[in-house]
Amino acid sequence: MKHYGFTLLPSRRIFPRTLLFTLILGSCGLTSCEDELEPPQQFSSKLSFSSEISSSWTSTTRSATGSNGLQNTVSVLEEGDTPLYLHTLYTDSIALPSGSQATQKIETRATPVKNESMYNAFSVSAYAYTGNWDNSQLPNYFYNATASKSSNNSYELAADYYWPGKNYHMKFFAYAPMTNGNYTLSGKEHAGAPTVSVTIPSEVSKQEDLLVAGTQELSGDQNQPVALIFRHALTAIRFVCGNDMQAGTLKKVTLKGVYSEGVFDMGSSQWTSLKAANSFSQTLDKKLTGSKDEAITTDAQTFMMIPQTLPEGAQLEVVFENESQGEKILTADLKGTEWPIGKTVTYRISTSSINWTYHFSVTGPEDFEFDGGTKQYKVTSYRENGNGTKEPVEWTAQYWDDNTKNWSGHKPEWLKNFTGSGGDVEVEKSYAITAAAQIGSDLNEHTRKLKEAPHKGEETKPYNLAGTNGGDKNMNTANCYVVDAPGYYSFPLVYGNSIKDGNDNVQSYSYTRATGRNMLRVLLNHASSITSHYIQKVAKPSKAELLGQDASNLITEVKYNENNVCSTISFKVDKSTIREGNAIIAIKDAQEKILWSWHIWVTGENLNETVAVENRQNKKYNFMPIVLGWCNERTTTYQARSCKVKFTAGENSQEITINQKENKITFGDNHPYYQWGRKDPFLPSNGYHLSSAEVEKNENKRWFGKDGMSTTSNPKVENLMTERICIMNYILKPEVMHSANSADNTYYNLWDITHNGKEGKSVKSIYDPCPAGFKVPDSDAFTGFVDAIYTDKPSVGIDIRGQWDQNNYGWKFYVTYPSRHDDKMILFPALGWRDPQSGSLSQDSDNGNYWTSAPSKTSSAYYLFLKPTPVQVGPKLSKDRSRALAIRPVRE
């Protein structure tokens, strides 16, 4: 078999600052031939590098009992009748001792290296090849090049090298420090992954922390900085005092008979060719007070040694002196013990043979879904001695900051709940962690229009949704306010539709001509009759609160702004999160009772472009162009995110990563639903539209609560009683559906305050859920949609004055009666209804249902019914009041 080597020759430049290379293939005794690398693509990127130092060689759980089955041990430092005891502790990574100058620059070479003190330069070699990687590859793209730290903390090569293109694979290997003559890189003719030959210097101050890195196979057109993950290739050896060490002077420590030479293979991450058993000493003259974990060696006096299983004759020798016994030399046999790669071995010298074994582990939470939630993580942190005594060991947590590339005590904002320390009482404990719902993004044309709309209002002067052009004049209040742009908004703290054209709209809540038990002379708030449109005059508001919304972070910063004249509620709609959606805001008293609530509808539709429709009696109604609360179909994408958390207990540390998954959700066209006589909407369906195959029928639209957590559960249901108590419960519990079919089972004039059970003049009541200027339609508003005279059964076939629109899933009706040839038609989508007993969407979700303001009797009301199969339209049917239907408002 012939093995071919690659020799790199520079070729001519064909692009500015671009180096090309020629590969020469050859073998011994053969004539060489040339085969040029393809020129880099014109827009390929220059090679550069980023560095990060990993604390571990594996992703296994980090524990203070050691790695790879290593256990903390105790042995005797023998000399005379008063021996000292040597406790051997394994720490998962090479790290500076607790309390050391971890963030300061390295003063001497022996100090272990961390991210913030990474070498200013490292050696890197690059391999470009086709086919599969094998051990015949040579560093043919460049060899032993110097990558130096730049001003933006990336690492740049002295010469410009570019990604060679998609026809090639790439691998990179790097090591540091490259200027230490005791660490020698294999030659450019070395096939396969490079090696580093190491001879440990006898002087500890020259024993530098050896870092190595190697990439997986990368595509030659990656065109972004190469992320190099450096790992510690040596073993750090430290010395500390035990908690019962006697006072004295530790004069000298010596590691005897340990391997001092070896070869590290960057491909296999293994040490081979260990030899040259030598001794390494340090004269310390360290005066010891006997304090627990008092450092004997400083950071700069850390031994950096070749990882190994210690050979025959390996010993630790300690020269110790105190006043009572003078100087004595103590030794301990180290044969057969292990110095694992990339870890710290701490020798704790003590006058006691009790061996404390430290246990530290962290079990992270399962990955969060995009909509957040609460999960558990567990921390075990304690020490145990030979007598079986367990003591908790305190721990703390830090969070990785991607901007500063450092650990910080500040957790990301999306982690709403996280315990950052513990271990003072329990040795093992589970903790709750809450992740906020991820903020989605979409490119829907309606969302784009909303984002591009001019900003309204300021935080100190919000846009008044009830006033003319956002001011305080000629106010018209409502139970539903429409937002069409990003900004800061407010509305006055008054009951529903109780102010009209700047005046007290008494007729919305008081009808003195009402007679009989089926009519309310004065409409009700949460506790009694309404005697003033100002809520603060009849109740004691305490705070405003977002009850929920059907788009994440649609509305934020909800506030109650108290004022002696007229208080307000304000909120923010941010440009980054605006989209079509619905939200409910409530005002509460100090006892958390809801005094009133409002529907905020965000839409970019021009609601003033009404559609004039003639009914059978040739009366015209100007219908809103869309259904109340309407949202067009959209696809929302939620990006994945994560946070690395490092837990530390003494010298032991462990990292976990908290992940939140990505997701993509498609909503079809949708709208909220209303029980008859109530002012507050209930959760929409997720809609369905035949242009979106991902949308399924009859599911709930996702709803985000006041804490940002989301759900697709049905609304709560409860029997809210009848008569006056029922109406008060409607106010107190706007999110709860009335489960009794007949609902209040009493009043005719809940939406039309003048309605006495007979047709007449229609006057919008304080409970009407429509925006200012609109109201729920009269009972005869839909009669022009069929030719047949009203009956209690739907019309079919040729009697219907319209056609089923499959693309928009609804009925289109002619707007002029009795003509069937108008170009203009009006669409009524069919999106089902909600069942009052379960709160769920109806099984026959292919029909459409639209309330009128007129009761048919005390337990039911008139509505428009639509169905595609069999073809049916009922312009004035009767249905139980508690069923939640759609509303298509008309001009007052």
Side-chain angles (χ1 to χ4, degrees), residues 320-490:
F320 182 74
E321 181 181 67
N322 62 14
E323 293 183 0
S324 61
Q325 297 178 340
E327 182 178 291
K328 56 182 179 179
I329 299 176
L330 303 99
T331 60
D333 187 8
L334 301 180
K335 173 193 171 184
T337 60
E338 187 174 351
W339 288 348
I341 186 172
K343 301 190 180 298
T344 297
V345 178
T346 300
Y347 291 116
R348 178 173 287 140
I349 300 173
S350 172
T351 57
S352 170
S353 64
I354 295 178
N355 180 30
W356 286 100
T357 300
Y358 286 77
H359 301 264
F360 183 58
S361 64
V362 181
T363 303
E366 296 180 355
D367 290 352
F368 287 92
E369 298 297 330
F370 77 100
D371 55 343
T374 300
K375 296 183 181 295
Q376 300 288 319
Y377 64 97
K378 185 171 73 174
V379 180
T380 300
S381 182
Y382 66 95
R383 67 177 190 169
E384 183 177 14
N385 63 26
N387 298 328
T389 301
K390 292 183 179 180
E391 296 179 354
V393 175
E394 294 186 8
W395 57 268
T396 58
Q398 290 181 299
Y399 315 89
W400 181 254
D401 189 322
D402 282 326
N403 294 322
T404 63
K405 301 299 181 184
N406 209 339
W407 294 104
S408 165
H410 302 289
K411 66 179 177 62
E413 189 173 335
W414 62 275
L415 291 181
K416 295 295 184 182
N417 173 35
F418 192 90
T419 303
S421 62
D424 54 338
V425 179
E426 295 96 341
V427 299
E428 180 178 289
K429 186 176 180 180
S430 292
Y431 300 88
I433 176 174
T434 300
Q438 177 64 291
I439 298 173
S441 61
D442 61 73
L443 300 177
N444 179 293
E445 63 174 304
H446 303 280
T447 301
R448 178 188 56 77
K449 180 180 177 181
L450 287 166
K451 288 182 180 293
E452 293 176 355
H455 190 278
K456 292 184 177 181
E458 301 297 335
E459 185 173 10
T460 55
K461 190 177 181 181
Y463 185 96
N464 184 0
L465 290 166
T468 302
N469 297 322
D472 296 331
K473 295 182 178 180
N474 299 321
M475 288 198 298
N476 287 278
T477 62
N479 288 307
C480 173
Y481 289 106
V482 178
V483 169
D484 60 2
Y488 289 92
Y489 295 91
S490 70

Side-chain angles (χ1 to χ4, degrees), residues 585-892:
I585 293 175
I587 187 71
K588 292 184 173 183
D589 64 12
Q591 288 71 46
E592 294 289 319
K593 286 184 180 179
I594 293 178
L595 308 179
W596 202 263
S597 50
W598 295 265
H599 170 204
I600 307 301
W601 178 21
V602 181
T603 178
E605 299 284 349
N606 184 355
L607 302 185
N608 292 316
E609 293 182 348
T610 56
V611 182
V613 175
E614 278 188 276
N615 71 355
R616 186 178 178 83
Q617 295 75 32
N618 297 117
K619 181 180 179 180
K620 282 191 177 181
Y621 289 94
N622 293 304
F623 278 91
M624 186 180 283
I626 53 177
V627 181
L628 182 57
W630 181 260
C631 295
N632 290 282
E633 79 171 298
R634 71 170 188 263
T635 296
T636 303
T637 301
Y638 300 88
Q639 300 294 334
R641 57 185 172 187
S642 63
C643 174
K644 287 196 298 184
V645 184
K646 180 170 69 173
F647 295 80
T648 302
E651 299 168 2
N652 308 305
S653 65
Q654 181 181 346
E655 293 175 20
I656 65 170
T657 300
I658 300 168
N659 296 306
Q660 189 167 24
K661 299 178 184 177
E662 66 179 2
N663 206 341
K664 181 181 289 187
I665 294 181
T666 297
F667 296 111
D669 297 336
N670 61 89
H671 61 70
Y673 303 89
Y674 294 80
Q675 290 187 301
W676 191 86
R678 301 187 68 171
K679 63 184 178 61
D680 297 291
F682 291 101
L683 177 67
S685 74
N686 71 342
Y688 50 96
H689 199 296
L690 298 186
S691 66
S692 284
E694 297 177 49
V695 179
E696 297 182 4
K697 297 181 182 180
N698 227 34
E699 292 183 354
N700 291 326
K701 189 175 182 181
R702 191 164 294 277
W703 185 256
F704 298 84
K706 61 185 178 182
D707 57 359
M709 300 296 103
S710 75
T711 180
T712 55
S713 300
N714 294 324
K716 295 178 181 178
V717 298
E718 183 181 333
N719 190 324
L720 299 179
M721 309 304 287
T722 59
E723 301 186 24
R724 291 174 65 90
I725 293 176
C726 174
I727 307 306
M728 294 175 188
N729 279 330
Y730 283 173
I731 311 303
L732 289 166
K733 300 179 179 183
E735 298 175 288
V736 179
M737 289 187 68
H738 196 343
S739 62
N741 286 334
S742 57
D744 68 287
N745 199 29
T746 307
Y747 303 114
Y748 294 145
N749 62 334
L750 295 183
W751 277 345
D752 171 6
I753 196 168
T754 66
H755 209 297
N756 60 3
K758 300 178 182 179
E759 298 298 335
K761 182 182 178 182
S762 175
V763 176
K764 181 179 182 180
S765 83
I766 206 166
Y767 299 142
D768 185 296
C770 301
F774 290 90
K775 67 177 184 177
V776 181
D778 299 341
S779 63
D780 63 354
F782 308 114
T783 57
F785 295 161
V786 298
D787 282 328
I789 297 175
Y790 162 70
T791 65
D792 59 356
K793 294 182 180 180
S795 297
V796 297
I798 62 171
D799 283 340
I800 300 172
R801 300 186 59 258
Q803 59 195 34
W804 177 256
D805 184 342
Q806 182 68 16
N807 289 332
N808 292 291
Y809 214 83
W811 275 94
K812 282 185 174 179
F813 297 108
Y814 295 105
V815 298
T816 304
Y817 190 86
S819 172
R820 290 175 177 258
H821 304 289
D822 295 355
D823 292 334
K824 193 168 187 179
M825 302 181 80
I826 186 169
L827 172 71
F828 279 75
L831 289 174
W833 51 279
R834 281 198 180 278
D835 182 86
Q837 276 76 48
S838 64
S840 62
L841 290 154
S842 60
Q843 294 305 308
D844 52 342
S845 59
D846 60 346
N847 60 37
N849 304 267
Y850 292 83
W851 281 127
T852 73
S853 63
S856 54
K857 51 186 177 181
T858 59
S859 61
S860 58
Y862 291 117
Y863 77 107
L864 166 67
F865 173 74
L866 326 163
K867 191 174 179 66
T869 307
V871 175
Q872 298 180 47
V873 173
K876 193 177 178 182
L877 303 186
S878 179
K879 178 165 283 192
D880 295 335
R881 294 182 176 194
S882 61
R883 293 195 180 191
L885 314 183
I887 291 177
R888 185 68 173 265
V890 295
R891 279 284 186 196
E892 286 191 78

Side-chain angles (χ1 to χ4, degrees), residues 277-296:
N278 283 326
S279 296
F280 299 88
S281 298
Q282 292 193 71
T283 299
L284 304 175
D285 289 328
K286 172 69 176 179
K287 293 188 180 298
L288 304 177
T289 64
S291 301
K292 177 183 177 181
D293 290 335
E294 181 179 3
I296 295 173

Side-chain angles (χ1 to χ4, degrees), residues 1 152 205 231 235 238 264 326 353 381 574 625 654 793 855 871:
M1 180 181 292
N152 60 0
S205 61
R231 291 178 167 85
T235 303
R238 296 178 50 239
F264 180 77
S353 64
S381 182
D574 195 89
Q654 181 181 346
K793 294 182 180 180
V871 175

Side-chain angles (χ1 to χ4, degrees), residues 537-558:
K537 286 189 177 181
V538 294
K540 294 182 178 180
S542 177
K543 68 174 182 178
E545 188 175 273
L546 174 70
L547 298 184
Q549 51 195 345
D550 63 5
S552 178
N553 282 2
L554 179 66
I555 288 176
T556 59
E557 300 182 23
V558 176

